[in-house]
Amino acid sequence: MSHDPLIRALQEAAGADAVRTDESARQLAASDLYSSGPLPVAVVRPPAAEAVARAVAVTTSQGYAVIPRGGGLSYTGGYTCGVEDSVLFDLSALNRIREISAQDMFVVAEAGVTWKRLYEALKPHGLRLPFFGTFSGAGATIGGGLSHGALFFGSARYGSAADITLGLEVAGADGALIHTGQWALRNAAKPVFRNFGPDLTGLFLHDGGSLGIKTQASLRLIRAPAATGYASFAFAAFEDAALALSEIARAGIAEDAFVLDSDAIAKSAQNQQGIGAAISALRSVVQSAGGGVAALRALIDLARGGRTVAPPGSYTLHCVMAGSSAAAVAAEQSIARKLAASLRGISIAATVPRIARAEPFANLNAVLGQGGARWAALNAKVAHSEAATLIEAHRQLVARRSSEMAQRGVTVTYLLSALGTHSFSFESVFHWQDEWLPVHLAKVDAEVLKGYSPPQANPAARALVAALREDTINLFRQIGAASNQIGRAYPYVDALNPAPAALIRGLKGLLDRNGRMNPGVLGLRH
């Protein structure tokens, strides 16, 4: 089958320079950080929302599937082509910040803007998003985060990216541009109120691009906190660290609150890229402290931490407090120390959260782990009261395959975090040596790659990781956990009760009657 008519139509819709059919572009588009799918017929990088809409209409009308991609940092198949005859839409050219309103406290950004770029654009205005980005925010985009679920920096207090969204512009399967929130009104209105009538904005959040392609978003702002403080604690038992995380979350005293296991700390420390990274981190800490006495205190804190940020074998809880004054932050730090001590936690130097906040979007080198290893994470969102049961169940799941994991060189680390006062986030991360995918080569600095020996294909370890991931996802389903970044990895429609499953299928049929928008994501198929 010749694709020439499609290619010509796409070039007319989006511009000749916006359409690529070369092998390298298609291979990069076909893989995420975990797996690869069929190569798309073409990669389209539209320069504006109107061009996105025109190109989508061309693609669907000719019977091809539309696959949207933001920063390309998924590991759940969110943008790998689920079917043959697909066109991948690269949204990175939609990278303009349209409006920053300090008076009305909102910002309008196109879908291809990264969390890092938005953070840096707001900083001179003394403004910030409440939730302001992910670990991968140097490359992860607004559109990708809203499609698949972005959280971390600021999430313990403010929730996820979805919780700060006021309105969306979405290109539908028929080429129409749909607006939500106050943007949906016929008469022009500032996009500051989301819930005027049924929440149409929420309809398109976390949809994985299965209902349309996000082209821009309005997000709410806060004034940047005047004071920031840090606290870290070490626990001998994983269970105590998890309980302390829940206590601090319920108290609402932290912007960031997360737990790392001892292996995660070790892998993170060993994955630092030499003295250059250390100097960069030190410089960032001093700059973030603002100089003077605050900078001196920051350096003292780092010195106290040294190379050992926690006693060997411990589980560490890290917090960032932020508020209107140093006294307010100190009061929250004091509460955290009391809560941690009540669960046998000891205070340690707050090196980890201080460096994380000093340069939150440093680079994307961490898409490879220690020694150039591959990694892939899975997450579950549960109630605080269910966290201990989930942790123990997953540790038993891993223990049943421990001998095979040791034989294949597969390891697991854990990240726990707070999502508001009400939700406990559990993340298991599997690590193994295997050949790199095109996305790894595209995202990691060339100098860093030179420091690794490119690994050989390791199908045995890869198969074991796939089995562990399947076991983990089945566990999450059994306990009724929710997940973000669903993609094609987690069950969604098949896990729902009949009534909501029929509703989402009906909405899919209404918005995408031929099933061309990212087929297979969320378990939605034509």
Side-chain angles (χ1 to χ4, degrees), residues 88-157:
L88 185 129
F89 281 67
D90 174 358
L91 279 301
S92 61
L94 271 65
N95 58 7
R96 291 164 287 269
I97 298 171
R98 292 293 189 181
E99 183 178 3
I100 297 173
S101 176
Q103 182 176 11
D104 293 320
M105 298 300 282
F106 72 90
V107 59
V108 176
E110 291 184 333
V113 174
T114 65
W115 297 103
K116 177 179 181 177
R117 181 154 179 266
L118 188 51
Y119 177 77
E120 291 176 342
L122 293 171
K123 199 169 185 178
H125 299 273
L127 299 171
R128 204 195 79 190
L129 299 178
F131 154 83
F132 64 94
T134 65
F135 274 134
S136 58
T141 62
I142 305 297
L146 296 179
S147 293
H148 296 284
L151 54 93
F152 192 73
F153 289 117
S155 285
R157 176 164 289 164

Side-chain angles (χ1 to χ4, degrees), residues 5-14 44 46 48-67 87-89 170-177 211-213 215 511-514 516-518:
L6 170 72
I7 303 304
R8 288 194 295 270
L10 287 173
Q11 290 172 336
E12 183 177 344
V44 183
E50 293 76 15
V52 173
R54 289 194 299 269
V56 166
V58 163
T59 304
T60 58
S61 67
Q62 295 199 28
Y64 290 80
V66 170
I67 313 294
V87 175
L88 185 129
F89 281 67
V170 181
D174 61 357
L177 284 175
L211 302 180
I213 296 183
T215 54
L511 293 166
D512 179 23
R513 63 179 181 275
N514 293 316
R516 304 301 184 192
M517 301 299 293
N518 216 0

Side-chain angles (χ1 to χ4, degrees), residues 28-32 38 40-46 52-53 55-56 59-60 64-83 85-94 111-112 141-149 169-173 204-216 439 485-488 508 512 515-522 524:
L28 177 60
S31 71
D32 65 5
V41 171
V43 177
V44 183
R45 188 172 180 261
V52 173
V56 166
T59 304
T60 58
Y64 290 80
V66 170
I67 313 294
R69 186 184 70 188
L73 298 167
S74 168
Y75 38 76
T76 58
Y79 66 82
T80 54
C81 300
V83 296
D85 292 338
S86 297
V87 175
L88 185 129
F89 281 67
D90 174 358
L91 279 301
S92 61
L94 271 65
T141 62
I142 305 297
L146 296 179
S147 293
H148 296 284
E169 179 183 76
V170 181
F204 293 100
L205 295 172
H206 297 187
D207 72 325
S210 63
L211 302 180
I213 296 183
K214 293 160 196 65
T215 54
Q216 67 177 344
V439 178
Q485 199 181 132
I486 296 168
R488 293 178 174 82
K508 174 71 170 175
D512 179 23
R516 304 301 184 192
M517 301 299 293
N518 216 0
V521 164
L522 304 185
L524 291 168

Side-chain angles (χ1 to χ4, degrees), residues 189-488:
K190 297 191 178 203
V192 296
F193 188 69
R194 171 170 163 173
N195 296 309
F196 182 46
D199 185 13
L200 298 182
T201 300
L203 176 63
F204 293 100
L205 295 172
H206 297 187
D207 72 325
S210 63
L211 302 180
I213 296 183
K214 293 160 196 65
T215 54
Q216 67 177 344
S218 171
L219 307 170
R220 73 183 186 93
L221 297 173
I222 60 173
R223 289 179 176 165
T228 304
Y230 310 89
S232 292
F233 310 96
F235 299 81
F238 198 10
E239 294 77 9
D240 287 344
L243 287 170
L245 173 68
S246 292
E247 287 289 354
I248 286 171
R250 283 189 287 260
I253 57 175
E255 282 202 340
D256 306 343
F258 57 98
V259 169
L260 299 171
D261 66 23
S262 54
D263 287 339
I265 286 284
K267 288 181 185 295
S268 175
Q270 293 174 31
N271 198 37
Q272 293 299 311
Q273 305 301 325
I275 189 66
I279 292 172
S280 177
L282 185 65
R283 185 184 299 115
S284 297
V285 167
V286 172
Q287 290 173 345
S288 69
V293 175
L296 179 60
R297 287 175 178 166
L299 291 175
I300 291 171
D301 187 27
L302 284 179
R304 286 197 303 118
R307 287 185 175 271
T308 304
V309 296
S314 62
Y315 301 86
T316 55
L317 167 60
H318 307 281
C319 304
V320 178
M321 286 77 175
S324 59
S325 68
V329 168
E332 291 177 333
Q333 290 172 304
S334 177
I335 294 171
R337 284 192 289 270
K338 291 177 183 177
L339 292 173
S342 72
L343 289 159
R344 296 166 287 283
I346 61 170
S347 292
I348 60 173
T351 309
V352 170
R354 185 181 289 278
I355 289 179
R357 274 298 190 99
E359 196 172 359
F361 310 118
N363 54 54
L364 298 175
N365 294 332
V367 298
L368 287 176
Q370 179 186 352
R374 296 261 300 276
W375 62 265
L378 292 169
N379 70 87
K381 307 295 182 275
V382 297
H384 291 292
S385 60
E386 298 169 328
T389 299
L390 171 56
I391 291 169
E392 181 56 27
H394 196 268
R395 294 174 86 179
Q396 290 180 12
L397 180 158
V398 170
R400 289 193 290 271
R401 293 184 179 267
S402 58
S403 59
E404 189 179 359
M405 290 173 67
Q407 181 183 0
R408 305 298 184 193
V410 177
T411 60
V412 62
T413 59
Y414 293 101
L415 169 67
L416 314 178
S417 59
L419 188 59
T421 59
H422 54 279
S423 184
F424 185 102
S425 178
F426 168 94
E427 191 165 287
S428 57
V429 187
F430 295 104
H431 308 255
W432 77 105
Q433 289 287 344
D434 199 356
E435 63 182 347
W436 298 328
L437 295 171
V439 178
H440 296 109
L441 298 172
K443 301 298 182 182
V444 178
D445 292 341
E447 287 302 311
V448 173
L449 288 175
K450 288 180 183 177
Y452 299 136
S453 297
Q456 300 297 310
N458 192 348
R462 194 184 314 149
L464 176 57
V465 170
L468 286 163
R469 281 167 60 90
E470 184 177 357
D471 291 347
T472 298
I473 289 170
N474 287 336
L475 170 63
F476 293 168
R477 180 171 180 170
Q478 289 166 13
I479 65 174
S483 297
N484 60 301
Q485 199 181 132
I486 296 168
R488 293 178 174 82

